[in-house]
Amino acid sequence: MTLNNIFQFLVPKDKKFFPLFEQASANLVVLAETLHEAVNAPKLEREEYFKKIEELEAIIEEITHKTHLELSRNFITPFDREDIHSLIKAIDNVADYMHGAASKMRLYQVEKITKSIRKLTEINLEACQLINEGIKQLKDMNNIKLIKETCKKINKLESKADVVFDKAVADIFENETDAKNIIKYKEVLSALESASDKCKSVANVMEQISVKHS
């Protein structure tokens, strides 16, 4: 048992870090929902969704900054300091890539949203919802098996996203003749697939934390 673990028995329940994790993951779900709504909306209505995504990404970035400040101010933490840093950074990375996908659709003025783009936003939304559940499970740390199951589901979604991405890219090169469109769609798809990779990174950190406390 580490010195930090021993101190956890002697101090009140964490009131600093988990509220920040919960805020970050809750906003991440809203961001993922907004992105999924954006790709299912008519082109003329997407701008409002893109603006909201930009605001949500900034909120999560600020929460990440606050978490790092709390790390510098607090000697006692609910779990290892490097894990706190890794967890909030991993959540922030998911937000960055989903925001990146929205920014590329906006910048490149992508008109037609493909089924693959919609499917990837749907997969990322489900993964973000699971991340939110996982954060709540970590807070209680009562059921390590349940945390591992949540992480396993996220990993399966990441594998599913890889399959969708590979097929989508193959379809683009086979059916699209405009080089500009190939670049546009490849960039958007890559950002969405990277977001699913980062969801897996969050799952890996959550599982690592749960193993240390099992």
Side-chain angles (χ1 to χ4, degrees):
M1 183 177 286
T2 65
L3 181 63
N4 195 57
N5 291 139
I6 294 170
F7 276 125
Q8 286 175 40
F9 291 105
L10 306 175
V11 296
K13 194 171 182 180
D14 173 61
K15 294 180 181 179
K16 299 281 186 181
F17 294 100
F18 273 107
L20 290 169
F21 295 145
E22 289 170 339
Q23 288 170 34
S25 64
N27 277 285
L28 189 68
V29 171
V30 179
L31 197 162
E33 286 172 345
T34 306
L35 182 56
H36 189 54
E37 288 168 2
V39 300
N40 283 284
K43 184 177 183 294
L44 294 176
E45 295 177 16
R46 286 180 211 149
E47 182 60 24
E48 288 305 309
Y49 291 106
F50 292 151
K51 286 179 181 177
K52 185 177 178 181
I53 289 167
E54 202 168 89
E55 291 168 2
L56 288 162
E57 191 274 337
I59 289 169
I60 294 170
E61 193 171 297
E62 179 59 26
I63 294 168
T64 302
H65 178 64
K66 286 180 181 177
T67 305
H68 289 147
L69 284 178
E70 289 299 337
L71 270 176
S72 66
R73 291 170 180 161
N74 291 273
F75 174 64
I76 299 169
T77 56
F79 43 83
D80 292 347
R81 304 175 72 82
E82 61 267 26
D83 290 333
I84 290 175
H85 170 78
S86 296
L87 182 56
I88 197 67
K89 182 60 181 172
I91 292 171
D92 189 39
N93 284 340
V94 177
D96 284 345
Y97 277 102
M98 287 195 294
H99 173 245
S103 295
K104 286 174 173 60
M105 282 186 265
R106 191 184 197 181
L107 180 65
Y108 300 152
Q109 298 182 345
V110 174
E111 291 191 19
K112 183 184 176 183
I113 301 295
T114 64
K115 288 181 180 178
S116 298
I117 290 174
R118 290 193 181 99
K119 188 61 183 175
L120 285 172
T121 62
E122 181 185 329
I123 290 170
N124 284 335
L125 171 55
E126 189 175 346
C128 290
Q129 289 168 336
L130 287 167
I131 286 170
N132 195 38
E133 288 178 23
I135 293 296
K136 292 173 183 175
Q137 292 160 5
L138 273 182
K139 183 179 180 181
D140 296 328
M141 207 71 77
N142 291 330
N143 193 334
I144 302 300
K145 185 178 178 182
L146 185 59
I147 296 170
K148 288 182 179 179
E149 282 299 315
T150 299
C151 294
K152 188 177 179 181
K153 289 177 184 177
I154 295 170
N155 290 339
K156 283 184 178 178
L157 286 169
E158 189 272 337
S159 297
K160 190 176 179 181
D162 283 345
V163 172
V164 173
F165 173 77
D166 289 342
K167 186 178 184 302
V169 172
D171 287 345
I172 290 170
F173 284 110
E174 184 178 348
N175 300 312
E176 184 58 65
T177 56
D178 188 326
K180 289 182 180 179
N181 281 336
I182 291 173
I183 294 170
K184 285 180 183 180
Y185 285 112
K186 177 77 163 46
E187 288 278 314
V188 173
L189 289 164
S190 293
L192 291 170
E193 192 271 338
S194 293
S196 72
D197 284 343
K198 298 306 177 183
C199 287
K200 182 178 179 179
S201 296
V202 177
N204 289 341
V205 177
M206 290 195 296
E207 187 166 16
Q208 179 180 309
I209 293 167
S210 70
V211 167
K212 286 181 180 179
H213 287 76
S214 61

